Amino acid sequence: MISGSLTSITGLNNNEYQITRGKELNRKAGLDKTCDYVKADFMKMPFPDNSFDAAYALEATCHAPDAVGCYKEIHRVLKPGQCFAAFEWCMTDSFDPNNEEHLNIKKEIELGNGLTDVRTRAQCLEALKQVGFEVMWEKDIGSNSPVQWYLPLDTSDFSLSSFRTTAVGRFVTRNMLMALEYVGLAPKGSQRVQAFLEKAADGLFAGGR
C-alpha cells in the first residue's frame, strides 16, 4: 500500500517472522523511514476507508479464501479512482474442470503452495469488477514466452542454475534436510514441507505443459 504526500509504503502480512525479516532488510537498505509492515489479515485490514493512493499484491491474494471479499477490502482502503495492481495465480482458459488429470494437477499445486483454490482468470476478473474495480490491463504472462516458465522445474533436465529443482538436486536437498532435522538444526516437519514443495513443483510443471 502506498500513501501520503511523502511516498510511504505499508506492507501487510500475517506472519511475524516475515515481518521481522522485512523490517531488517528495509533497515539495511536505508528504507526503514519510508517502508513499514503491519501484521494483519488482508480480509479485514486495520485501516480506515480511502487511506491509500495505490495498492499492489504479488502472489498474495491467491491465498484469500474469498476473492470478492479480498478485493472488496482492497477497494475500501484505496482512495477513489486509485489503482490496484496484482500478480495473481490463476488457472488459464485451457483448464477443464471436467478433466480428471487437470483436477489432479490443480490439487498438487494447491497442496504444495498452501492454496485453498486456484481460481480461473475469468473468476478473478469478475470478482474485481463486482467490487467496483475497472480492469484496465490484464495478461497471461506465461503465454507466448520464448522460454517457458516451467522448464526449470523439469527434473529430467540437469542445470547448474536450477540445480535444486533437478532430480539430483532434490535428492541432495531431501537427504540434507533429513540429516539437519535429525540433529535438531532444522525444525521438525522440514522434510514434510520439502515433500509438499516437490509435489507442487511437479504439479506446476505438468500444468505448465
Side-chain angles (χ1 to χ4, degrees):
M1 304 288 190
I2 302 170
S3 68
S5 55
L6 294 175
T7 300
S8 62
I9 299 175
T10 299
L12 191 76
N13 200 304
N14 64 356
N15 184 288
E16 190 65 49
Y17 171 78
Q18 291 183 5
I19 288 177
T20 301
R21 180 66 174 156
K23 287 185 175 181
E24 177 61 17
L25 291 173
N26 280 345
R27 186 189 64 77
K28 289 181 178 180
L31 299 172
D32 50 312
K33 298 294 190 296
T34 55
C35 300
D36 198 10
Y37 292 91
V38 172
K39 186 176 187 296
D41 180 359
F42 58 22
M43 299 297 292
K44 191 176 181 181
M45 292 188 274
F47 308 121
D49 297 355
N50 310 327
S51 297
F52 296 95
D53 298 304
Y56 69 92
L58 301 176
E59 298 184 353
T61 50
C62 53
H63 292 275
D66 170 29
V68 172
C70 180
Y71 295 152
K72 183 177 181 180
E73 187 68 353
I74 293 169
H75 191 273
R76 179 186 69 79
V77 300
L78 277 175
K79 294 176 182 177
Q82 300 305 315
C83 293
F84 165 53
F87 181 81
E88 184 73 277
W89 283 51
C90 301
M91 303 305 291
T92 70
D93 296 337
S94 298
F95 173 68
D96 180 0
N98 298 312
N99 185 308
E100 187 174 350
E101 181 185 8
H102 287 195
L103 289 173
N104 287 336
I105 290 172
K106 181 173 180 285
K107 287 177 182 177
E108 286 186 344
I109 294 171
E110 290 166 346
L111 175 65
N113 290 282
L115 299 168
T116 55
D117 178 36
V118 181
R119 292 173 277 270
T120 66
R121 183 168 57 171
Q123 287 173 321
C124 289
L125 292 173
E126 177 58 33
L128 286 166
K129 294 173 184 176
Q130 188 174 328
V131 303
F133 281 114
E134 177 186 352
V135 179
M136 301 173 65
W137 184 86
E138 59 93 9
K139 180 182 180 182
D140 175 5
I141 63 173
S143 64
N144 301 320
S145 173
V147 178
Q148 295 296 344
W149 61 268
Y150 55 83
L151 290 182
L153 301 174
D154 185 1
T155 57
S156 65
D157 180 45
F158 186 84
S159 170
L160 292 177
S161 62
S162 56
F163 175 75
R164 187 171 55 86
T165 61
T166 65
V168 177
R170 285 190 184 188
F171 177 81
V172 171
T173 302
R174 200 179 303 126
N175 284 277
M176 185 180 296
L177 275 176
M178 185 185 301
L180 292 173
E181 191 172 336
Y182 179 77
V183 299
L185 293 177
K188 292 292 183 184
S190 294
Q191 295 177 75
R192 186 165 175 262
V193 171
Q194 171 66 15
F196 283 158
L197 293 175
E198 288 186 5
K199 183 65 71 174
D202 292 339
L204 287 167
F205 179 70
R209 285 199 306 171

